[in-house]
Amino acid sequence: MMVRAQWLFHSLIFPLCLLACAEMPASHPVRQAQDPVNVLESLKNGNQRFVHGELLHPRQGPDERLALAKGQAPGAIVLSCADSRVPPEVLFDQGLGDLFVVRVAGNIAGPAEVASIEYALEHLGSRLLVVMGHDSCGAVNAALSTPPGKSAGSPDLDRLVSEIQRNLAREHFQLKSADPANHNQAMANVDAVAEDLRQRSEIVRERVEKGDLRIVRSIYDLSTGQVEFWSR
Ligand SMILES: [Zn+2]
């Protein structure tokens, strides 16, 4: 029954949702597509405000809400972990309509995540894609602590864990770590996911090659609040 429900979602409901979204006023963005360099600078500045406890909570009032009801043009797409301590809008101190956020445990790029990113690229004009992992990620920890052939608890958990295990294997990481926060492993997972997006999605790859999309990798420190960025 669960498999059938998932099939129904992925085959019918999710595409219909995307179609419905595409029919919404998204085709009339309230802002022009933004320069990815400026958007990244805005994220870095917002993160510094967050780190120092100086949040501005920008663009979150009724006027912005009303304007955004007519359409959206988020400056950045953020693929990040579903962890409750890692909300991109908060830790980058951004407002309504600023970020198109795709969140999933372990910030992996499965079919629904890739499709969501492609939708934002095709319809919303975003030109910056941030893949963000974080220290002490439960999904990464599960991948490191689940021996090959052992179940993580359910078929879907197994798929998630094995995807991260593949990512770590691709980056030549052993499935053991002395660092309880698994910082390097979380970074390796981000690197593999960013590369995965280019390989799996023609829309992503073409835009990167044309210079219309910048992919930036990042990792969030749970205790300092600092986001570290890097590119390849
Ligand atoms: Zn996580």
Side-chain angles (χ1 to χ4, degrees), residues 6-65:
Q6 283 179 341
W7 176 86
L8 195 66
F9 177 79
H10 289 294
S11 305
L12 296 174
I13 298 175
F14 184 67
L16 282 174
C17 171
L18 283 183
L19 198 62
C21 292
E23 294 300 323
M24 288 169 67
S27 55
H28 303 289
V30 291
R31 289 191 305 229
Q32 296 295 313
Q34 298 168 70
D35 185 330
V37 174
N38 296 339
V39 175
L40 183 57
E41 200 57 30
S42 169
L43 298 186
K44 288 178 177 175
N45 291 338
N47 180 239
Q48 284 311 296
R49 294 196 297 274
F50 175 71
V51 167
H52 298 294
E54 298 165 351
L55 291 169
L56 295 177
H57 305 290
R59 299 174 292 282
Q60 297 180 11
D63 291 347
E64 285 87 359
R65 189 177 63 226

